[in-house]
């Protein structure tokens, strides 16, 4: 779809103006939370698998929301490291290959990418002691698992 494709120029511009982008995200979230609260919505989910590994922009926004009285419950699903590495290689090393030149083998790719979770989980725990961590590989259907304990029973996973 043409509407959903962004050029590298878009992302470069966004990176150059990260603080402005972060402020705009926070402003939109606050406005939406107020709007949804006014019509009786009591629970909102903001989800993105990249949040765990890139807390730099997200955590300050969530801390600011918490300071405004918004209850924040961070949830992380982590995979076995070997499973994550294989999946990451297929997605980022082959399918969306963000580098020029020949395709790098798995061994080279994995040496260039940190596949550990501990440091990022520690960063999240330092900001939110109520962080919930689940083993992705031990859950048959992660979407159903997430929905089941979030009082989102009216939703179904596909």
């Amino acid at each position: 779809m043409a509407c959903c494709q962004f050029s590298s120029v878009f992302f470069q511009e966004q990176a150059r103006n990260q603080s402005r982008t972060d402020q705009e995200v926070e402003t939109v979230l606050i406005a939406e939370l107020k709007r949804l609260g006014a019509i009786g919505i009591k629970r909102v989910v903001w989800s993105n698998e990249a949040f765990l590994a890139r807390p730099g922009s997200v955590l300050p926004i969530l801390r600011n929301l918490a300071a405004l009285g918004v209850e924040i419950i961070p949830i992380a699903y982590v995979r076995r490291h070997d499973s994550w590495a294989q999946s990451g290689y297929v997605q980022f090393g082959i399918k969306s290959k963000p580098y020029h030149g020949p395709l790098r083998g798995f061994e080279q790719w994995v040496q260039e990418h940190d596949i550990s979770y501990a440091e990022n989980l520690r960063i999240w725990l330092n900001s939110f002691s109520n962080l919930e961590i689940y083993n992705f590989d031990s859950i048959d259907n992660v979407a159903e698992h997430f929905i089941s304990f979030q009082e989102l029973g009216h939703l179904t996973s596909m």
Side-chain angles (χ1 to χ4, degrees), residues 93-151:
I94 297 174
K95 288 183 180 178
S96 64
K97 186 179 170 269
Y99 56 88
H100 297 290
L103 187 64
R104 296 177 186 148
F106 175 77
E107 187 174 324
Q108 181 183 359
W109 183 88
V110 81
Q111 289 175 3
E112 297 169 351
H113 293 81
D114 182 8
I115 62 167
S116 64
Y117 301 117
E119 181 61 23
N120 289 321
L121 290 171
R122 185 190 61 74
I123 291 168
W124 279 89
L125 277 168
N126 285 342
S127 289
F128 292 97
S129 62
N130 63 336
L131 172 67
E132 298 179 16
I133 304 169
Y134 297 96
N135 181 337
F136 179 95
D137 298 296
S138 70
I139 300 169
D140 289 332
N141 185 319
V142 172
E144 286 180 6
H145 178 267
F146 180 80
I147 289 168
S148 72
F149 68 88
Q150 292 302 313
E151 300 172 15

Side-chain angles (χ1 to χ4, degrees), residues 15-43:
R16 278 194 293 274
N17 296 306
Q18 192 62 51
S19 66
R20 188 180 83 203
T21 299
D22 294 348
Q23 183 57 49
E24 289 172 356
V25 168
E26 185 174 332
T27 299
V28 168
L29 282 173
I30 291 169
E32 278 303 293
L33 290 171
K34 287 179 181 177
R35 184 184 71 78
L36 294 169
I39 60 172
I41 304 293
K42 299 194 182 321
R43 185 172 299 244

Side-chain angles (χ1 to χ4, degrees), residues 22-85:
D22 294 348
Q23 183 57 49
E24 289 172 356
V25 168
E26 185 174 332
T27 299
V28 168
L29 282 173
I30 291 169
E32 278 303 293
L33 290 171
K34 287 179 181 177
R35 184 184 71 78
L36 294 169
I39 60 172
I41 304 293
K42 299 194 182 321
R43 185 172 299 244
V44 175
V45 175
W46 187 27
S47 174
N48 187 309
E49 67 182 293
F51 288 168
L52 176 63
R54 297 185 187 108
S57 294
V58 177
L59 276 176
I61 293 169
L62 293 178
R63 283 192 295 260
N64 289 345
L65 291 174
L68 294 173
V70 176
E71 181 184 17
I72 306 292
I73 305 171
I75 300 169
Y77 288 89
V78 294
R79 297 175 80 164
R80 282 188 352 249
H81 290 83
D82 62 327
S83 173
W84 182 95

